[in-house]
């Protein structure tokens, strides 16, 4: 669907979804983090550790009261927590190279997929039967059991909020394909949405550009919408897209929002504004600064995934895919073929 319209959502509209307790919790966490920053220069490691422990306990307490916010370390067995910590530490590190960053984002989304779809024990199993390269004395096969989750994943549409969300969405679609007994490749709905970074967090605007968005609105009705954006700072982009689609008369069966890092404020806004949405995040950060950047955060995930666009010559979706190179294009060939069909049609 293409037209020349722009849809704008303002920050004050988003804050209307937050409860009085939400605002109190957010202010307490902001104060706690401001106290923590006092130990950053010069770095007092013992005090930093102590402060972050207190922040973590407070975040865990809040999430217990908000079951639609699923944080990997709060939901999984203790043995998995070190894996999450190590992945996030590598992603945060300013010394992590571009290729390493891609690798750890892929690991993050594999972990999030497991949290949402396969960690819950089920006696229903599927089977993967594999023909191996061993042909002597006869052709050999191997059998591997996997959870039967077709009913969870084969009604899914990947909703992509360009541009940092493109590769994470493709990774999630690949995971769905690998777990589907029918090799289901998700349809894609591509939304060109940006926040106006000339503004502050308290007066931010989220602009959905329909002219440069590509989706089949009939393909979205009654489906399970999956959004995969590495960072959820304010929740504004997701709420803008979903509220626009609902205003067009299409309703999701469910919404899942997958983030590598989310600020608590973004997760609360999303789950308050969209009651049928569950947020899955590998790591929850406590607060935002006045520019709506997550703190401590990891920088601009889109630039670290895709490289920076030239200001006067931004890449379109096809050029962005081309820049990923043959290795990534080959790994996710089914997904990129679907995206190209969506854009070109």
């Amino acid at each position: 669907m293409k037209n020349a319209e722009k849809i704008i959502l303002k920050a004050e509209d988003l804050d209307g979804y937050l409860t009085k307790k939400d605002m109190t919790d957010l202010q307490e966490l902001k104060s706690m983090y401001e106290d923590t920053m006092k130990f950053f220069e010069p770095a007092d490691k013992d005090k930093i550790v102590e402060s972050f422990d207190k922040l973590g306990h407070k975040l865990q307490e809040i999430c217990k009261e908000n079951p639609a916010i699923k944080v990997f370390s709060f939901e999984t067995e203790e043995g998995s927590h070190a894996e999450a910590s190590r992945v996030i530490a590598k992603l945060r590190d300013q010394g992590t190279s571009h290729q390493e960053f891609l690798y750890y984002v892929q690991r993050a989304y594999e972990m999030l997929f497991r949290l949402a779809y396969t960690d819950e024990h089920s006696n229903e199993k599927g089977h993967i039967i594999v023909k191996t390269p061993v042909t002597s004395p006869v052709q050999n096969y191997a059998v591997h059991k996997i959870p039967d989750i077709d009913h969870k994943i084969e009604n899914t549409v990947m909703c992509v909020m360009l541009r940092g969300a493109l590769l994470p969405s493709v990774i999630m679609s690949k995971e769905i394909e690998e777990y589907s007994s029918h090799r289901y490749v998700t349809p894609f709905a591509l939304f060109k949405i940006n926040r106006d970074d000339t503004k502050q967090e308290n007066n931010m605007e989220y602009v959905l550009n329909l002219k440069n968005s590509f989706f089949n609105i009939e393909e979205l009705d009654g489906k399970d919408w999956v959004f995969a954006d590495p960072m959820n700072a304010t929740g504004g982009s997701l709420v803008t897209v979903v509220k626009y689609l609902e205003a067009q008369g299409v309703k999701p069966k469910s919404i899942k929002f997958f983030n590598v890092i989310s600020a608590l404020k973004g997760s609360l806004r999303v789950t308050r504004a969209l009651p049928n949405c569950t947020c899955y995040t590998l790591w929850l950060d406590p607060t935002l600064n006045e520019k709506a950047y997550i703190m401590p955060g990891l920088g601009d995930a889109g630039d670290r995934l895709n490289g920076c666009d030239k200001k006067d010559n931004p890449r379109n979706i096809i050029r962005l895919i081309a820049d990923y190179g043959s290795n990534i294009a080959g790994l996710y060939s089914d997904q990129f073929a679907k995206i190209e069909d969506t854009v070109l049609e």
Side-chain angles (χ1 to χ4, degrees):
M1 176 179 177
K2 297 173 67 176
N3 59 46
E5 295 178 37
K6 289 186 177 181
I7 308 298
I8 299 175
L9 181 71
K10 297 179 183 292
E12 55 263 34
D13 299 323
L14 280 173
D15 278 338
Y17 294 110
L18 296 174
T19 67
K20 185 176 181 180
K21 185 177 188 307
D22 291 339
M23 300 300 285
T24 300
D25 287 337
L26 290 166
Q27 184 56 52
E28 181 178 351
L29 282 163
K30 183 178 180 180
S31 297
M32 291 174 70
Y33 192 74
E34 287 172 350
D35 289 340
T36 301
M37 288 194 293
K38 296 173 184 176
F39 305 119
F40 287 178
E41 291 184 2
D44 185 332
K45 293 184 178 179
D46 289 339
K47 289 291 187 181
I48 291 171
V49 169
E50 180 183 339
S51 293
F52 271 96
D53 279 344
K54 290 178 181 177
L55 284 164
H57 289 309
K58 180 62 179 177
L59 288 167
Q60 191 164 9
E61 175 188 312
I62 293 168
C63 288
K64 283 182 180 177
E65 300 169 353
N66 295 277
I69 302 174
K70 308 287 188 185
V71 181
F72 187 88
S73 295
F74 300 166
E75 299 286 332
T76 58
E77 73 284 354
E78 190 171 348
S80 298
H81 299 177
E83 181 185 11
S85 291
R86 191 61 191 145
V87 168
I88 291 294
K90 290 296 291 186
L91 288 168
R92 287 198 201 275
D93 192 336
Q94 61 182 351
T96 297
S97 69
H98 173 64
Q99 289 301 322
E100 274 191 304
F101 195 85
L102 290 175
Y103 168 73
Y104 283 105
V105 165
Q106 179 165 316
R107 280 196 42 194
Y109 275 98
E110 290 168 353
M111 294 163 69
L112 288 167
F113 182 90
R114 189 171 77 237
L115 173 64
Y117 292 110
T118 68
D119 273 0
E120 186 176 305
H121 179 73
S122 171
N123 291 323
E124 297 296 323
K125 301 293 181 184
H127 296 88
I128 300 175
I129 302 173
V130 181
K131 182 190 285 189
T132 82
V134 179
T135 58
S136 177
V138 295
Q139 174 65 61
N140 275 243
Y141 291 83
V143 176
H144 299 277
K145 290 183 179 180
I146 61 170
D148 181 0
I149 58 171
D150 286 352
H151 62 289
K152 295 183 179 181
I153 60 178
E154 291 189 353
N155 188 50
T156 298
V157 177
M158 290 303 307
C159 300
V160 187
M161 298 185 293
L162 298 174
R163 74 186 173 111
L166 178 60
L167 193 55
S169 301
V170 167
I171 293 168
M172 286 297 293
S173 176
K174 180 74 169 180
E175 288 295 296
I176 289 170
E177 180 186 8
E178 291 297 320
Y179 273 89
S180 164
S181 63
H182 306 105
R183 305 293 294 178
Y184 175 74
V185 180
T186 64
F188 283 83
L190 308 164
F191 302 96
K192 177 67 172 177
I193 185 161
N194 300 93
R195 68 185 202 182
D196 184 349
D197 283 335
T198 66
K199 296 183 178 294
Q200 301 292 306
E201 197 269 330
N202 62 355
N203 66 350
M204 187 67 69
E205 291 184 352
Y206 306 86
V207 183
L208 173 58
N209 185 334
L210 295 177
K211 182 180 179 182
N212 294 318
S213 297
F214 304 89
F215 54 93
N216 181 340
I217 203 157
E218 291 80 14
E219 207 169 47
L220 288 159
D221 198 26
K223 298 297 180 68
D224 297 307
W225 299 354
V226 172
F227 294 80
D229 200 338
M231 308 291 283
N232 173 22
T234 65
S237 295
L238 177 72
V239 174
T240 303
V241 169
V242 173
K243 292 296 185 184
Y244 164 76
L245 291 173
E246 290 181 338
Q248 307 313 300
V250 295
K251 304 293 182 185
K253 182 180 179 184
S254 69
I255 302 171
K256 288 182 170 64
F257 191 25
F258 293 93
N259 312 118
V260 177
I261 293 178
S262 179
L264 176 64
K265 189 171 191 177
S267 291
L268 285 171
R269 276 171 158 173
V270 165
T271 54
R272 296 287 185 259
L274 310 171
N276 58 346
C277 180
T278 304
C279 291
Y280 298 88
T281 186
L282 199 61
W283 207 266
L284 195 64
D285 273 0
T287 194
L288 303 170
N289 65 16
E290 68 279 356
K291 295 291 288 182
Y293 296 153
I294 300 173
M295 296 200 297
L298 55 72
D300 190 317
D303 286 348
R304 295 184 74 182
L305 276 169
N306 304 315
C308 299
D309 275 341
K310 295 179 180 177
K311 194 168 185 180
D312 57 347
N313 189 27
R315 290 165 290 178
N316 62 26
I317 183 74
I318 300 299
R319 289 166 62 198
L320 188 57
I321 290 173
D323 280 355
Y324 286 141
S326 59
N327 288 341
I328 291 179
L331 182 60
Y332 300 111
S333 57
D334 291 341
Q335 283 68 37
F336 287 139
K338 281 274 191 182
I339 290 171
E340 288 175 2
D341 286 346
T342 302
V343 172
L344 296 176
E345 288 178 5

